[in-house]
Amino acid sequence: MTAASDQPLPVVPTPDAADEPNRELKAIAAKDYEWGFVTDIESETIPPGLDEDTVRFISAKKGEPEWLLQWRLEALARWRTMTEPTWAFVKYPPIDYQAIRYYAAPKSAADKPKSLDEVDPELLATYEKLGIPLKEQALLAGVAVDAVFDSVSVATTFKDKLASMGIIFCSFSEAVREHPELVKRYLGSVVPTSDNYFAALNSAVFSDGSFVYVPKGVRCPMELSTYFRINAADTGQFERTLIVADEGAYVSYLEGCTAPKRDVNQLHAAVVELVALDGAEIKYSTVQNWYPGDKDGKGGIYNFVTKRGACRGHKSKISWTQVETGSAITWKYPSCILQGDDSVGEFYSVALTNNHQQADTGTKMIHIGRNTRSTIVSKGISAGRSQNTYRGLVRMLPGAVGARNYSQCDSLLIGDRCGAHTFPYIDVRHPSARVEHEASTSKIGEDQIFYLQQRGLATEDAVNMIVNGFCKEVFRELPMEFAVEAQKLLGISLEGTVG
Amino acid sequence: MLEIQGLSARVGEKPILEGLDLVVPTGEVHAVMGPNGSGKSTLAKVLAGHPSVEVTAGTVRYLGQDLLELDPEERAREGVFLAFQYPIEIPGVSNSTLLREGLNAVRAHRGEKPLDAMDFLKLARAHAAKLGMDPTMLGRSVNEGFSGGEKKRNEVLQMLVLEPRLAVLDETDSGLDIDALKVVASGVNALRSPERAFLVITHYQRLLDHIVPDVVHVLAGGRIVRTGDRSLALELEEKGYGWLDTTAGAAR
């Protein structure tokens, strides 16, 4: 992602940019799933299975206070009363939750490295392969990386600089130790333990994740970035992220994912909570590239994620941008609760599915406060035999005087064996609220491809160019280096879809 | 440069071209005129390699190569350019992106280095100015929301940037007012050279007042039925295409 310092400028098709997408894409399109290597580090794991003892083990392992253990146990109790949701337009064999291993940590993490020098060299080599700029590259790129390897954070950079501004950016475990009052105040306040099946599961067994707090009036000077990576086989990954922007604060957070190649399905059930107080703004960008399974639909990640932001304060703003190219199954609806008057919610999404991938993704915009505004731009691209669903809810509650929403959902089909589906739910309970919804479905045209070929472009480059053009409104919301990554991923994911 | 012999082609089950012969030597401008449905656009599509047209017989030699063996993008890189009758819209892809990618694909094929962003922009802006196009056109999505005239100008802009060896203009004059017609013609004339050839497909004679052809061919019923100099175009203007059907045999 951010190792892009030596690469050309971003390749979003803009008039004057030094853009050269296809040369780069072409080289990459020839590659297989590039990040499918496995690091040999002995994991400290517990046997598969989930009961109260599992939860107690995880909590004890992390040295958590009693209140958090109780919170987890409550979540577990809730989860046991719930049933797995079946409304999403996805199909998968039943998951045996007792066959999953709920904790794994690289052994070297027990030593709690204080600096990069103390980190397992093999781990660092893995990061190198992934192109994570932990050292000087990071400095040049202006990105602080809180790298999560399996379940334990091993290194956090730029802490000092951020700390001098009062910004907290650390692993979730560390936040529990160092800032328990903040964690206690906000954890579960946006996504309660009882919210849904996967959120309850996550609440019971989450291992680690990231925590960000930006104090009053502070603009975080750099993009905060975290890499998530599943490594140990059969280990569910249960990340917990909590970001709080205090009054007038601003933060941009980047989440990027690459996972090693695996033959067995892996469950990923993360929870992300965002809280924006008066006048605060949070921008949350994701490029998701979990292993999607092979061409026959074997393997791949089940990505069942709950992401939600609360615009608690007056004039607060939360913006989600996601580029979803990976995972065998994606079940994900980054949402905004627009509670504060004049608050703003945004959702920009590109979801690309190929081969046998299934995605059911979208957003919820819950308008509570007066004059709240939301924008939804969703671009779904289906190729191969994949199924791609947009599912969105816009709800204007009785107090949402003068609230407005604009939704645009476009689907692009490549080939004739894939599916695109749109399920918009609209619920308006105040007469002054306005909701606009536009939707389109198009097939990538033979004439479009021919036109570009006639100008000298190879078929695959032509397809990439058309798809990137289709996604432009979303890509321009991404930070620059992420836009580069996103276009590369589309190129890789589209390989072999035409011609 | 271009030698077509006994070319037959169909679209779906329908035969369109039936034994067409046509030779365009390097350095010349040839016009192909003919009534609607005579196969003019199909001829253009065959030359560019459009997948909807199936060649059933005949040969097409271009600079000594078998043109029909080449993929559409290979033909483009070898210098075959088609100005489309109905230019295609590509939402979200800027004109400059397409132009630059196309130009650099052609340059790479010739073993030349890609143009960097600054040099490219300078070049593209200069050509756009020649065609009376606002430079902001370069930043707009390819043909999206363009008027008919803007689309045609845009085709000529692409031609000027790509500098083809053989340019096929498929009814580039249709939908243009006289001022736009002159601008488009001046763009074509600027590119005329002893190294290039043009095949100008048109229904009307008026374009040929501005792009003066060396040779005029009349296409009817899937074949070239008459070949002559510029006066043939004027004759057609006067008499229409109706008289051709009865004299078709005489041309062969």
Side-chain angles (χ1 to χ4, degrees):
Chain A
M1 165 203 61
T2 46
S5 50
D6 60 338
Q7 300 193 355
L9 285 172
V11 284
V12 183
T14 48
D16 293 358
D19 46 354
E20 203 179 358
N22 291 291
R23 208 148 313 292
E24 200 165 58
L25 285 169
K26 203 179 164 189
I28 284 153
K31 293 180 187 169
D32 206 350
Y33 187 80
E34 191 179 357
W35 297 300
F37 49 84
V38 177
T39 308
D40 180 25
I41 290 177
E42 249 182 279
S43 285
E44 189 186 337
T45 55
I46 53 172
L50 176 55
D51 58 16
E52 290 198 359
D53 285 344
T54 321
V55 173
R56 287 178 193 280
F57 173 87
I58 295 167
S59 191
K61 197 85 189 156
K62 310 190 81 62
E64 286 176 355
E66 181 63 20
W67 67 265
L68 190 50
L69 171 63
Q70 289 310 319
W71 191 82
R72 286 176 180 275
L73 290 171
E74 249 173 66
L76 178 67
R78 285 278 195 169
W79 179 74
R80 283 172 161 167
T81 67
M82 299 166 96
T83 48
E84 209 172 316
T86 53
W87 44 262
F89 197 76
V90 296
K91 280 185 201 150
Y92 55 92
I95 297 170
D96 181 356
Y97 291 90
Q98 296 305 330
I100 294 171
R101 216 181 282 276
Y102 288 88
Y103 185 83
K107 261 195 171 164
S108 58
D111 306 327
K112 303 215 161 114
K114 303 286 182 297
S115 74
L116 281 177
D117 304 336
E118 294 175 32
V119 171
D120 188 327
E122 198 172 342
L123 211 54
L124 289 179
T126 305
Y127 290 137
E128 287 292 326
K129 278 191 230 170
L130 283 169
I132 302 177
L134 271 182
K135 300 176 197 167
E136 286 82 2
Q137 304 149 321
L139 200 77
L140 289 169
V143 175
V145 177
D146 173 10
V148 175
F149 189 90
D150 270 26
S151 311
V152 175
S153 298
V154 289
T156 304
T157 54
F158 287 97
K159 250 184 178 165
D160 292 346
K161 180 164 185 194
L162 295 172
S164 71
M165 303 179 77
I167 296 168
I168 303 165
F169 176 37
C170 62
S171 73
F172 202 91
S173 312
E174 189 180 335
V176 169
R177 285 194 305 274
E178 307 291 329
H179 311 282
E181 69 298 336
L182 283 172
V183 175
K184 199 171 177 180
R185 189 187 314 164
Y186 292 107
L187 178 66
S189 73
V190 187
V191 180
T193 53
S194 58
D195 190 81
N196 68 71
Y197 189 80
F198 298 114
L201 178 64
N202 173 286
S203 301
V205 301
F206 73 86
S207 41
D208 213 331
S210 294
F211 177 82
V212 177
Y213 173 79
V214 186
K216 274 184 195 175
V218 172
R219 240 189 116 77
C220 184
M222 58 186 83
E223 319 261 10
L224 301 182
S225 169
T226 298
Y227 253 90
F228 295 96
R229 182 173 169 83
I230 297 176
N231 194 57
D234 289 322
T235 303
Q237 178 102 351
F238 302 94
E239 298 290 341
R240 191 90 197 184
T241 300
L242 175 57
I243 299 175
V244 179
D246 212 325
E247 291 171 23
Y250 167 84
V251 63
S252 170
Y253 188 86
L254 317 182
E255 177 196 1
C257 306
T258 58
K261 206 162 190 163
R262 284 289 173 197
D263 231 5
V264 290
N265 290 307
Q266 289 183 305
L267 176 63
H268 179 80
V271 173
V272 176
E273 296 179 278
L274 312 182
V275 178
L277 302 182
D278 280 358
E281 180 177 348
I282 301 174
K283 186 172 168 58
Y284 193 104
S285 310
T286 306
V287 170
Q288 187 265 116
N289 181 31
W290 300 109
Y291 179 53
D294 66 15
K295 285 191 167 52
D296 302 316
K298 197 179 173 203
I301 304 293
Y302 292 177
N303 192 25
F304 301 151
V305 184
T306 305
K307 291 185 170 179
R308 194 174 304 154
C311 284
R312 297 241 162 100
H314 180 238
K315 288 194 169 166
S316 54
K317 179 177 176 183
I318 288 178
S319 183
W320 298 100
T321 307
Q322 63 173 22
V323 177
E324 304 280 324
T325 62
S327 295
I329 301 175
T330 300
W331 180 98
K332 180 180 173 188
Y333 315 90
S335 304
C336 297
I337 298 168
L338 302 169
Q339 203 175 336
D341 291 347
D342 300 300
S343 60
V344 176
E346 292 175 340
F347 174 72
Y348 297 96
S349 171
V350 167
L352 184 151
T353 52
N354 194 3
N355 298 319
H356 290 265
Q357 280 177 281
Q358 308 172 65
D360 192 311
T361 184
T363 183
K364 286 189 274 187
M365 294 291 174
I366 312 294
H367 293 253
I368 299 171
R370 301 165 70 91
N371 299 316
T372 46
R373 282 170 291 143
S374 63
T375 303
I376 298 171
V377 177
S378 165
K379 304 280 183 175
I381 301 145
S382 337
R385 295 168 179 273
S386 68
Q387 296 293 333
N388 200 319
T389 300
Y390 169 79
R391 187 184 303 276
L393 168 68
V394 177
R395 175 169 286 160
M396 307 286 195
L397 291 173
V401 180
R404 294 202 306 272
N405 163 265
Y406 171 75
S407 300
Q408 183 190 334
C409 302
D410 299 322
S411 303
L412 186 69
L413 300 168
I414 302 174
D416 52 12
R417 291 177 303 177
C418 53
H421 317 273
T422 304
F423 299 104
Y425 304 89
I426 297 170
D427 175 12
V428 179
R429 303 195 193 164
H430 193 280
S432 69
R434 274 213 325 259
V435 176
E436 279 178 71
H437 183 93
E438 288 179 21
S440 77
T441 301
S442 53
K443 224 178 138 170
I444 202 160
E446 190 179 69
D447 279 331
Q448 285 180 321
I449 294 171
F450 178 70
Y451 189 70
L452 297 181
Q453 283 178 300
Q454 216 301 305
R455 299 306 182 242
L457 274 69
T459 312
E460 263 186 14
D461 295 337
V463 171
N464 282 343
M465 188 180 271
I466 294 165
V467 170
N468 278 308
F470 175 76
C471 300
K472 186 184 184 182
E473 287 152 287
V474 175
F475 284 167
R476 71 178 169 212
E477 298 296 325
L478 287 172
M480 277 194 172
E481 61 273 31
F482 247 33
V484 175
E485 174 92 343
Q487 296 209 345
K488 283 185 192 172
L489 287 182
L490 289 196
I492 293 166
S493 307
L494 285 169
E495 188 190 346
T497 51
V498 176
Chain B
M1 172 164 296
L2 181 69
E3 290 170 54
I4 305 174
Q5 281 186 340
L7 180 67
S8 295
R10 61 183 184 192
V11 176
E13 291 300 306
K14 195 180 171 197
I16 309 282
L17 300 179
E18 299 182 84
L20 181 142
D21 299 315
L22 180 66
V23 175
V24 183
T26 306
E28 293 190 3
V29 174
H30 286 217
V32 173
M33 302 182 71
N36 289 328
S38 59
K40 300 192 300 289
S41 286
T42 301
L43 172 60
K45 284 179 175 173
V46 167
L47 295 177
H50 195 285
S52 69
V53 183
E54 188 193 343
V55 173
T56 52
T59 58
V60 180
R61 311 282 303 171
Y62 164 71
L63 293 173
Q65 307 175 73
D66 181 354
L67 187 68
L68 302 178
E69 280 296 302
L70 301 179
D71 289 336
E73 64 267 31
E74 291 169 339
R75 300 181 196 197
R77 292 169 193 169
E78 286 286 330
V80 176
F81 180 90
L82 171 62
F84 284 62
Q85 184 180 5
Y86 303 108
I88 307 295
E89 298 183 4
I90 318 271
V93 175
S94 73
N95 252 330
S96 63
T97 299
L98 167 57
L99 280 171
R100 183 152 169 248
E101 289 303 318
L103 177 60
N104 284 335
V106 170
R107 289 177 67 97
H109 184 72
R110 293 182 196 144
E112 295 167 6
K113 279 188 192 160
L115 272 195
D116 69 35
M118 293 315 293
D119 289 343
F120 166 75
L121 260 186
K122 219 184 276 175
L123 178 85
R125 282 186 177 148
H127 285 309
K130 272 187 225 161
L131 296 170
M133 291 169 77
D134 191 299
T136 58
M137 292 275 287
L138 292 171
R140 286 171 60 185
S141 290
V142 176
N143 294 323
E144 197 183 31
F146 284 26
S147 70
E150 282 175 328
K151 284 184 181 174
K152 295 302 175 73
R153 275 183 210 221
N154 206 30
E155 293 293 290
V156 176
L157 171 65
Q158 292 174 8
M159 184 179 75
L160 292 181
V161 169
L162 295 175
E163 297 187 317
R165 297 290 301 275
L166 172 68
V168 181
L169 280 65
D170 188 7
E171 306 221 5
T172 299
D173 52 328
S174 66
L176 291 186
D177 61 32
I178 188 67
D179 291 330
L181 189 73
K182 282 181 182 168
V183 169
V184 164
S186 73
V188 173
N189 289 329
L191 217 55
R192 286 179 85 151
S193 93
E195 277 82 49
R196 291 202 176 88
F198 290 83
L199 196 61
V200 180
I201 292 170
T202 180
H203 191 72
Y204 300 105
Q205 191 295 127
R206 62 168 193 166
L207 176 66
L208 306 181
D209 288 340
H210 304 282
I211 304 173
V212 180
D214 298 300
V215 179
V216 175
H217 305 275
V218 179
L219 178 57
R223 285 197 297 260
I224 300 295
V225 294
R226 288 210 40 148
T227 293
D229 61 13
R230 214 194 136 206
S231 62
L232 178 58
L234 296 167
E235 195 179 348
L236 284 169
E237 175 94 332
E238 202 180 307
K239 298 186 186 170
Y241 290 107
W243 59 281
L244 283 168
D245 291 335
T246 54
T247 58
R252 292 176 59 88

